[in-house]
Amino acid sequence: MEWVAYHRSLANWVLELFGRNIGHRLGASGTKLENTIQALEGTIQNVNSPKFKYWEFDVQETYDGELVVFHDDYIKYETSIIRICDIDYNKLVDCSKSLGISIPKYSEVFNILKVRNEPVMVEIKSLISERAREEIFSSLVNRENWKLMATPTRFLLSLIHISEPTRRYAISYGVLWVEKK
């Protein structure tokens, strides 16, 4: 199998310019607890730190339509690597337990943050259904300090998934890897 890499360096430039945000991935960026309720609860006490800029978390849709907060496109399960959009929610819960984490639903994170005053950035990783898009958009109506984003790379991944659902792809450290035909 052959792969092609597309590089992106904007993230490194932004980090150099603005510094690291301790609210990134709900406060546990780079650890196994990133994007978890445990990370969020552990970081709430630090929102007055100059290193806290806003909450940021990633949203994806599972195969059976559940919105979950998880950064990576894939998750390891026993000896397999499975795309989040190809796994149902119950199996994802089993996978997360085997990794020693608890992947929250979008609604869980939303319900904690909706009563707080800090800015929030919701990053769309993978939404497949119109129902999922509607759920995200309707939850953010009238939330002035909440922003929604998706990188151009994510837009490209959505197009790949819609047009060629069996083609494999991954993003790692700002590089988009797409399986050659």
Side-chain angles (χ1 to χ4, degrees):
M1 171 182 344
E2 233 182 302
W3 294 85
V4 179
Y6 301 92
H7 295 274
R8 177 177 60 117
S9 61
L10 179 61
N12 291 334
W13 179 80
V14 169
L15 277 177
E16 285 178 32
L17 187 62
F18 299 108
R20 193 166 295 282
N21 172 21
I22 62 171
H24 188 246
R25 297 187 192 157
L26 298 177
S29 184
T31 73
K32 79 176 194 174
L33 291 179
E34 64 185 21
N35 278 330
T36 62
I37 299 296
Q38 297 92 326
L40 172 59
E41 290 172 343
T43 306
I44 283 177
Q45 63 197 11
N46 298 319
V47 297
N48 292 321
S49 165
K51 292 183 178 182
F52 180 89
K53 295 167 181 49
Y54 53 87
W55 295 109
E56 184 273 345
F57 61 92
D58 308 287
V59 178
Q60 298 192 53
E61 184 179 2
T62 61
Y63 182 76
D64 56 346
E66 191 65 57
L67 290 175
V68 296
V69 175
F70 192 69
H71 178 264
D72 296 337
D73 297 323
Y74 294 82
I75 191 165
K76 184 176 182 184
Y77 184 66
E78 296 172 355
T79 59
S80 301
I81 304 287
I82 305 169
R83 284 192 307 190
I84 301 303
C85 62
D86 292 336
I87 190 171
D88 67 49
Y89 178 72
N90 290 328
K91 190 169 184 179
L92 182 63
V93 168
D94 290 342
C95 292
S96 69
K97 286 179 185 175
S98 72
L99 297 173
I101 59 173
S102 178
I103 298 173
K105 292 181 178 182
Y106 169 73
S107 59
E108 294 174 284
V109 173
F110 176 80
N111 286 332
I112 292 170
L113 292 178
K114 73 179 182 182
V115 297
R116 302 193 55 83
N117 295 321
E118 301 89 25
V120 177
M121 177 72 69
V122 180
E123 183 169 350
I124 301 301
K125 293 289 185 174
S126 176
L127 298 182
I128 307 305
S129 71
E130 196 57 39
R131 186 211 53 80
R133 284 186 279 282
E134 177 60 32
E135 183 177 337
I136 291 284
F137 294 144
S138 65
S139 70
L140 300 181
V141 170
N142 298 321
R143 300 211 166 273
E144 292 181 22
N145 64 341
W146 287 57
K147 305 291 183 224
L148 186 62
M149 70 165 285
T151 63
T153 306
R154 287 288 159 192
F155 178 74
L156 178 60
L157 290 180
S158 295
L159 293 177
I160 292 169
H161 184 76
I162 290 167
S163 63
E164 301 179 59
T166 59
R167 192 164 184 191
R168 297 185 333 160
Y169 54 85
I171 295 179
S172 176
Y173 299 102
V175 178
L176 169 62
W177 295 90
V178 180
E179 184 179 26
K180 275 189 173 181
K181 287 185 171 184

